[in-house]
Structures are given as C-alpha cells and as structure tokens.
Amino acid sequence: MSYTHHPFDYRVADIAPIDPKMVGLWNPKALQAKREGAGLSQQGLALKTGLSRATIIGYERAPRRTPGSGIPSLERAALLALALECRIEDFLTLPEGEGSADAQ
C-alpha cells in the first residue's frame, strides 16, 4: 500500500515495527525539539506530513489521561520521522538501563 498523497513515497510495511515494550514511551518534548531543530513551525511540519496543525500540537503536549491520547500511531510516527529525517525511536524515552549495552 503506497501513500503517494504525502510528500514521501513509502509503504508502512517497509518500516520496522516498534517493539510492544516501547508503547507508552512517547516523549512529546523530543518531537518538539526535533521539529524546532529542523527549523519548522508546527504548521510547517503539518504541511510536510499531511497531518493537521492541531494533531502536531496534540503530539507535542504531554499525553492525556485517556490511554493512547496524544500518542501517534506507527504510521503517523513514521511520517513524522521521515519529515524530520530521524528515526521513530528518537521520539521515545527508554527507562534507565533499557537499550544500553550494559543492560544485560
């Protein structure tokens, strides 16, 4: 399935899935930092990804009490990563010791 209506031509199947242990680790400040580092406004990122500005604002706010609220789907996280030329993992915060070489 191709998404040619976005500025990118990719298939979700081409993107490595997020490990289920990583769900709930969305870091809204990481998205904001990447966006600002790229010199993009919220509107600019919205236009680049095909998402709405309100959606970008929601992803940059702390997750709400409703589970899953304010956290993008894998497909949308991939759009954000492609637009900001980074990895999906760059938007996640791992607990201390997770993902490091000494955490054996």
Side-chain angles (χ1 to χ4, degrees):
M1 177 188 289
S2 264
Y3 292 87
T4 54
H5 61 280
H6 292 293
F8 317 103
D9 187 18
Y10 76 97
R11 291 178 302 155
V12 174
D14 294 335
I15 301 164
I18 294 177
D19 186 308
K21 293 185 296 188
M22 296 173 80
V23 174
L25 302 176
W26 178 253
N27 181 349
K29 296 299 177 198
L31 172 60
Q32 183 178 1
K34 287 285 186 186
R35 176 184 57 75
E36 290 172 351
L40 290 172
S41 65
Q42 291 170 330
Q43 182 65 35
L45 182 57
L47 290 171
K48 201 167 178 180
T49 59
L51 301 173
S52 71
R53 180 172 172 264
T55 297
I56 301 299
I57 290 169
Y59 293 159
E60 288 186 357
R61 288 190 178 149
R64 296 182 183 87
R65 292 181 185 195
T66 309
S69 178
I71 300 171
S73 65
L74 177 59
E75 179 180 308
R76 287 183 173 192
L79 283 173
L80 294 166
L82 286 168
L84 296 171
E85 298 179 9
C86 65
R87 301 171 316 145
I88 294 171
E89 292 87 344
D90 295 337
F91 303 131
L92 304 174
T93 300
L94 295 174
E96 281 296 316
E98 290 280 324
S100 67
D102 6 84
Q104 304 267 6

